[in-house]
Every structure is written in C-alpha cells, then in structure tokens.
Amino acid sequence: MPSFHNGAVEIAYLDEGEGDPIVLVHGFASSKNVNWVYPTWVSELRKNGRRVIALDNRGHGESAKLYEPSQYSIPTMAGDVLALMDHLAIPQADIMGYSMGGRMTAWLSLNEPQRLRSAILGGIGIGGLIEGTGPGENVAKALEAPELEDVTDPVGRTFRAFADQTRSDRRALAACLRGTRDLMTKDEAARIDVPVLIAVGSADDVAGSASALGAIIPGSEVLDIPNRDHMRAVGDKVYKTGVLDFLSRRG
C-alpha cells in the first residue's frame, strides 16, 4: 500500500482508476478499506470513470498512530488530505467524507474552497458538525476500558465494538476523539460556497438532522438514506446512487 509523509506523520493511501479525481475521507474508528473498499465505493466510482483516492486518517488503518490529542485537530487532519492531493499533484477534486471525514470535508470547503470541485458530507448533519452531538468523552472512555463488557454506555459500546472489530489502536482513537472536538458555527457553515450534498441515514441518531444542516449551507442538496443508522448507511445503494447522480451533474 503506498504512503507518503506529511511532516513526520506517515499517511497510507490508495490511488486507483482514471478520470476526474475524487478523494474519500473515512470516519472515526474506520479506515479506507472498511469505509470505502469493502462497501464497494471504490469499485463503483471506478466503474463510473473516476480516479479514486482514499487515505487512512492519522491514527487509523495503516497510517501513523499518535497519542496526543493536540495532534488530531480537524484543521491538522484536513491538512493531511491537502498534503495527499499535493503529493499526487491534484489541484482540485471532489471530496467525500463520512462522519468525522465529513467534518474534515466541511472544514476544507470553508477554508480551502479552491481545492474542492464539490463536497459530499456523509453521515454528518447539524448535530455532528455544529451542535456537537457526535461521539464524546463517553466513547473515549469506552475505548480505554479493559474489555467491551466493562462498557455500559450504549453509544460507547457501539464504537468500542466497532474499534475491536476493525482491530484499531484504541489508545490512538481515544486521543483522536479528544483532539477532534472542533465544531463549526452556523455562520461559518453559511459561508460554504462549493456544491454540497449532505447524505444521512434516516435512522442515524449520531449525525443529527441533514435537512437542518442543508437549510444553513447555501444551495446544498440533502439525500435521506431510508431506514439506515450511522453504521449501516455507509454501503447503502440509495447513498451510492445519489452520490453518482450528484457527481454526474458537476460536469
């Protein structure tokens, strides 16, 4: 698997296919494989004539594991995405992020709009981006618990089980969670000026309302993924079809 260094931090990535580039940014406790390869996003996008780039965020997958929360701010992690684009000499791309990756994509949309052809915010609504209803200290403590059986908080149990399933470095994930508390204000979200698709499962109680976020980001489109929660929306056919339609209208 190829990798590059952003400063001292090694970042693993994949780069497959030909055509207009799309960069995929996975969610917390996931990886490029779990979020994008196994649910067939990479193959579907390639079939639709896309060059697909996906990274393992710092602390995740095959990328470097860091243990200080200060090493995981949203601007720092979004900087890894820009550094990867620079490494591959890609001046502009569509960027799709899921959950935490959606927060990173929103940050890029606001602060580096010239690098984005469009932004797809998956698994992130007003709660996760603005109100701070996403995973919190309860999840960090669940990750640090000796065993899953020691975790009583239901959200904490969900993320701990997911981290165990993906064989993640739980100490790095706890640091990441504590470092990525940065939220966006409504005024900042209202200044986003790239084409945006917001895609959230209708049963997602982590992301918050997609339509409420859509009402803030000018000109954004909202895609409801029926009967899917935060974890199960990722590979949903409605999500894929909606994204491919959105991308087809970009150019």
Side-chain angles (χ1 to χ4, degrees), residues 25 33 49 71 78 91 99 101 107 113-114 135 147 156 165 171 176-177 179 194-195 221:
V25 189
N33 288 337
Q71 296 170 300
S99 195
W107 188 92
Q114 73 282 1
E147 302 290 340
Q165 179 189 339
R171 192 161 67 92
C176 175
L177 190 55
V194 301
E221 300 180 28

Side-chain angles (χ1 to χ4, degrees), residues 64-205:
K65 307 303 184 293
L66 311 167
Y67 301 104
E68 294 298 326
S70 61
Q71 296 170 300
Y72 289 101
S73 71
I74 290 292
T76 298
M77 295 182 73
D80 292 334
V81 178
L82 294 177
L84 174 56
M85 291 173 66
D86 291 343
H87 174 70
L88 297 174
I90 296 172
Q92 189 181 57
D94 298 293
I95 301 183
M96 175 162 63
Y98 195 84
S99 195
M100 180 184 74
R103 292 169 62 205
M104 293 162 62
T105 303
W107 188 92
L108 290 167
S109 301
L110 177 64
N111 293 283
E112 299 285 345
Q114 73 282 1
R115 304 301 301 268
L116 284 81
R117 190 165 173 251
S118 73
I120 300 162
L121 310 181
I124 191 85
I126 194 169
L129 187 64
I130 294 172
E131 295 174 348
T133 59
E137 183 63 20
N138 55 327
V139 174
K141 287 180 176 172
L143 290 165
E144 293 172 330
E147 302 290 340
L148 176 61
E149 291 69 33
D150 299 318
V151 181
T152 55
D153 178 79
V155 177
R157 277 186 70 88
T158 298
F159 278 93
R160 169 58 185 267
F162 185 58
D164 286 347
Q165 179 189 339
T166 53
R167 297 178 182 171
S168 298
D169 183 323
R170 292 185 286 105
R171 192 161 67 92
L173 291 185
C176 175
L177 190 55
R178 292 183 173 120
T180 52
R181 294 276 167 82
D182 332 52
L183 297 172
M184 188 173 279
T185 67
K186 284 186 180 180
D187 287 345
E188 286 173 331
R191 297 206 310 272
I192 292 176
D193 190 28
V194 301
V196 172
L197 175 68
I198 303 164
V200 175
S202 63
D204 188 334
D205 56 4

